[in-house]
Amino acid sequence: MIKEFLAILLDKKSRVVVFVPPIIQVLVFGYAATFDLKNITYAVYNEDSSALSRELETGFKGSTHFQEVERIRRYDQIAPTIDRRDALLVLHIGPEFSRDLTTGRPAVVQVIVDGRNSNTALLALNYVKTVITAFNNDFAARNSITGPPARLETRAWFNPNLESRWFIVPGIVGLLLLVVTILVTALSVAREREQGTFDQLLVTPFRPVEILIGKALPGFIIGIAEATVIILITVFWFRVPLQGSVATLYAGVVLFLFSSVGVGLMISSLSVTQQQGLLGAFLFVVPAIILSGFTTPIANMPHLIRQITYLNPMRYFMIIIRGIFLEGTPFSMLLGQFWPLAAIGLFNMVLAGWMFRRRLY
Amino acid sequence: MTTLKGPEGSHARTAGGTGMRLRGLIRKEFLQVLRDPSSIAIAFLMPVLLLLLFGYGVSLDAEHVPVALVAEQPNADTESFAGAFRQSRYLSPVVMPGMREAVTAMDSRRVDAIIHMKQDFSRQMRSPDGAAVQVIVNGIDANNARLVQGYVEGVWSKWLQSEALAAGRPLDIPVQVEDRVWFNSELKSRNFIVPGLIAIIMTLIGALLTAMVMAREWERGTMEALMVTPVTIREVIIGKLIPYYILGMGGMALSVVMAVGLFGVPLKGSLWVLFLASSLFLLAALGMGMLISVVARNQFVAGQTAIIVTFLPAFILSGFIFDISSMPAPVQVVTHVVAARYFIAILQTLFLAGDVWAIILPNAAALILMAGFFLGLARKKSRKSLD
């Protein structure tokens, strides 16, 4: 057991690899992984230079979400502007804009959006509509036009400003924990096997269970230490509110580590070389991240893939950690997420132990 | 492996020519790849598996989002409003008797939003101010919440139009938005995710494969054995590059065929541009893998580093899903060292928009620079390491 630890801690490169990158990554990714659009670059093609169309433009200039980058003079300048990604969208105000408005006909503003990133395009369009709705309300009030028969008053629960960072950063905790623990455990046996020390270990009076525990503990303890650091960064640096209890959070972390160490050992027991171990780790980690709901909702996946996600420990941890952070979900309501983690961990541990024993004979 | 090298080295010594030695090295490398099935698996099995998983699994398009509809006093007006929601492709409304049920459903994630029509909905509708409809969205997944909010607004404005039409009066909305989405008119997220995915897969193939393979040679000392033969470092590097380049391009071809054939992503640009851009990127990725292996010298560290410095940044810092222009300025600076960033920009444009040189050329130049830098540094480092 102690030997395992020393193997990782004594090698300076391994030590650096295990501890430094996760901390840097949580900082960089925490800032990078955002769906919030900050500077929507736009170009204006205003064929109607009237006070009204300028007022509409002011709405965009005043918004923190928009940033004007170009003024277009001719129609055929629109295409290259979008093609070259100089601007994400072009606002085209036609020559009849102010005449239509003052004569009571609906005036049309054409918005041309770069759809290469469909999510960005959709969100940018929503922001455009918000600005135009504000202009409409203002205009209607001034000209005593009766408003529409119903209006929407929208509020968001649990995350009033809809900051995607609150959603993503707790997810990164799970992401990094998974990567580090799987790597540490998946390669541990293979490395010894390549160096021949595993056979030596097997002839010592240790029982397979003891060897298994010895292999599992370092990954576990490194995981706990790392979880603590990353959670501290999440709470104190990114200021993501921690609504739930710390004890429940750690219960979730421990169970998640248990299951991912189990999977790591399972991979370890199957692989003969480190390359196979790494490949196995990879073939598990990558789908586990993608199919966890970390960036894209599980609800958007097709039925078959949604069924597969029930085998993924990270899926449960995502619900646990986001629930505890943002909603303050109590322990009792998370039991449905806790037991699959325990089951996955136990199943893999037992299987890995059995594989070790089988290799003995 | 060592047994392989012996004859090859002596063979090269007798023949002397660079071409001969190179051919020998490449043959040796190919034999090695064929013997260890995990390299083949990385190059061919991984793209297929990942594309299938990602292509089907990663979607930002929400469809049939469950929303709770609460009408405190159901009547013809609330029914007409609710009817508009039933027609939406994106939302699937569930009528609930009261707010208490709706809130419980929201807490247990059975619905993503609540549409709440208050008691005096009908009366307010006929007042000059109009009725206020309360919309509550679950903000935990902020992106999804915003999309749902957009869908609800879409339903609402459609309903306003049909109401106005039914009443036979013009709709009093002063300015209307007419949106044109170019390159991806249906706003399918798969069309931008799949090209990005190819870049991620290529990053994995290139960096992981070479990092692991070369680190193993350093670890076992066969690299030093190779170095004492008359083979030069440049030849060793080229000898390693060519087989893995061919493997990688095979994986690339497979991915493109799947993207177009299976996922129906349009390929507007020309194939030769795609081929050149992929070659450049693959060289950069292979170079990165070599550099990692030279610095790490052991498979554990090389593997860890390859995953941490290639896969995760390619996933998060490349514009694959998260827009680079929305990131804070210092993070945007960091993204410039991620090779995948340039490749993804090229791929998204090539697939969806066509050969837009203003985007392709600067990004390709950046890839050339990175490939040169990594390969050069890998060569320098491996020479030094011998002393």
Side-chain angles (χ1 to χ4, degrees), chain A residues 11-43:
Chain A
D11 181 10
K12 198 178 145 215
K13 279 179 187 162
S14 305
R15 196 169 52 204
V16 169
V17 153
V18 165
F19 284 102
V20 178
I23 294 169
I24 297 173
Q25 277 176 325
V26 85
L27 288 173
V28 174
F29 294 170
Y31 281 111
T34 169
F35 281 119
D36 309 337
L37 289 183
K38 291 267 156 49
N39 308 306
I40 304 173
T41 49
Y42 72 102

Side-chain angles (χ1 to χ4, degrees), chain A residues 274-344:
Chain A
Q274 287 191 56
Q275 190 166 5
Q276 285 174 7
L278 193 77
L279 189 65
F282 227 88
L283 286 179
F284 175 76
V285 166
V286 174
I289 291 172
I290 290 154
L291 301 180
S292 67
F294 166 54
T295 48
T296 59
I298 290 179
N300 293 356
M301 297 171 190
H303 184 74
L304 179 70
I305 294 195
R306 236 181 302 158
Q307 298 299 315
I308 297 175
T309 64
Y310 286 107
L311 297 173
N312 179 5
M314 197 161 148
R315 172 211 161 101
Y316 302 102
F317 190 62
M318 285 293 130
I319 298 176
I320 293 172
I321 195 159
R322 283 170 180 159
I324 295 172
F325 261 97
L326 303 178
E327 286 173 281
T329 315
F331 188 86
S332 57
M333 269 178 79
L334 287 171
L335 285 177
Q337 317 295 332
F338 283 152
W339 77 259
L341 282 181
I344 292 169

Side-chain angles (χ1 to χ4, degrees), chain A residues 37 88 113-115 117-129, chain B residues 60-62 90 143 146-148 150-151 179 181 186-187:
Chain A
L37 289 183
L88 181 69
V113 195
D114 178 356
N117 182 330
S118 65
N119 194 57
T120 306
L122 208 58
L123 291 180
L125 268 178
N126 284 348
Y127 282 123
V128 169
K129 283 174 186 163
Chain B
L60 290 164
D61 314 330
Y90 303 107
N143 190 53
R146 248 188 237 119
L147 294 183
V148 171
Y151 294 147
D179 46 50
V181 180
E186 291 161 84
L187 286 170

Side-chain angles (χ1 to χ4, degrees), chain A residues 182-192 268 274 277-278, chain B residues 299-300:
Chain A
I182 294 273
L183 276 174
V184 168
T185 47
L187 293 184
S188 63
V189 177
R191 180 170 44 190
E192 295 217 10
S268 206
Q274 287 191 56
L278 193 77
Chain B
Q299 291 186 66
F300 176 73

Side-chain angles (χ1 to χ4, degrees), chain A residues 11 13-14 17-18 21 25 28-29 31-39 78-79 82-85 97 101 105-123 125-129 132 135-136 139-140 145-159 161-164 167-168 175-176 179 183-184 187 191 194 274-276 278-279 282-283 286-287 289-291 294-297 300-302 305 319 322-323 326-327, chain B residues 36 38-39 41-42 46 49-50 53-54 56-62 81 103 106-107 109 121 125 128-147 149-153 156 159-160 172-184 187-189 192 204 208 212-213 216 219-220 295-296 298-301 303-305 307-308 311-313 315-317 321-323 325-328 331 348-349 352-353 356 358-359:
Chain A
D11 181 10
K13 279 179 187 162
S14 305
V17 153
V18 165
Q25 277 176 325
V28 174
F29 294 170
Y31 281 111
T34 169
F35 281 119
D36 309 337
L37 289 183
K38 291 267 156 49
N39 308 306
I78 295 178
I82 297 276
D83 280 349
R84 288 196 306 253
R85 288 194 153 166
F97 179 80
L101 256 185
R105 264 178 305 173
V108 173
V109 172
Q110 200 182 43
V111 182
I112 298 143
V113 195
D114 178 356
R116 264 169 277 189
N117 182 330
S118 65
N119 194 57
T120 306
L122 208 58
L123 291 180
L125 268 178
N126 284 348
Y127 282 123
V128 169
K129 283 174 186 163
I132 293 199
F135 174 84
N136 279 343
F139 186 81
I145 302 172
T146 41
R151 56 179 196 279
L152 302 178
E153 282 172 1
T154 307
R155 257 187 297 152
W157 280 1
F158 310 122
N159 183 0
N161 296 325
L162 288 180
E163 281 184 54
S164 57
F167 177 67
I168 301 281
L175 173 86
L176 292 177
V179 171
L183 276 174
V184 168
L187 293 184
R191 180 170 44 190
E194 271 191 357
Q274 287 191 56
Q275 190 166 5
Q276 285 174 7
L278 193 77
L279 189 65
F282 227 88
L283 286 179
V286 174
I289 291 172
I290 290 154
L291 301 180
F294 166 54
T295 48
T296 59
N300 293 356
M301 297 171 190
I305 294 195
I319 298 176
R322 283 170 180 159
L326 303 178
E327 286 173 281
Chain B
D36 181 5
S38 61
S39 304
I42 293 183
M46 206 154 71
L49 208 75
L50 287 179
L53 272 180
F54 268 97
Y56 286 115
V58 179
S59 162
L60 290 164
D61 314 330
F81 194 65
V103 170
M106 180 103 130
D107 280 339
R109 300 251 165 70
F121 181 77
M125 238 178 92
D129 274 351
V133 178
Q134 197 183 21
V135 178
I136 301 165
V137 292
N138 185 336
I140 290 189
D141 182 345
N143 190 53
N144 206 44
R146 248 188 237 119
L147 294 183
Q149 203 181 322
Y151 294 147
V152 172
E153 273 162 24
W156 167 74
W159 176 76
L160 287 183
D172 277 336
I173 290 187
V175 177
Q176 282 173 1
V177 180
E178 181 190 281
D179 46 50
R180 292 277 157 80
V181 180
W182 282 5
F183 312 129
N184 187 0
L187 286 170
K188 271 199 268 182
S189 63
F192 88 91
L204 289 184
L208 196 63
M212 284 304 277
V213 168
R216 182 166 58 182
E219 207 175 86
R220 292 185 181 166
V295 176
N298 87 47
Q299 291 186 66
F300 176 73
V301 179
Q304 284 263 27
T305 320
I307 290 184
I308 288 169
F311 170 65
L312 290 179
F315 188 61
I316 293 178
L317 297 175
I321 287 190
F322 302 108
D323 225 353
S325 57
S326 305
M327 298 172 188
V331 177
Q348 285 182 350
T349 298
L352 299 177
V356 182
I359 291 196

Side-chain angles (χ1 to χ4, degrees), chain B residues 239-285:
Chain B
K240 293 266 174 204
L241 269 184
I242 292 177
Y244 290 109
Y245 169 78
I246 294 174
L247 265 186
M249 287 309 275
M252 176 77 201
L254 197 66
S255 307
V256 172
V257 168
M258 276 180 76
V260 176
L262 192 62
F263 293 112
V265 180
L267 178 57
K268 299 263 177 65
S270 39
L271 273 176
W272 67 272
V273 182
L274 184 63
F275 174 79
L276 280 184
S278 321
S279 302
L280 286 178
F281 176 71
L282 198 57
L283 284 181

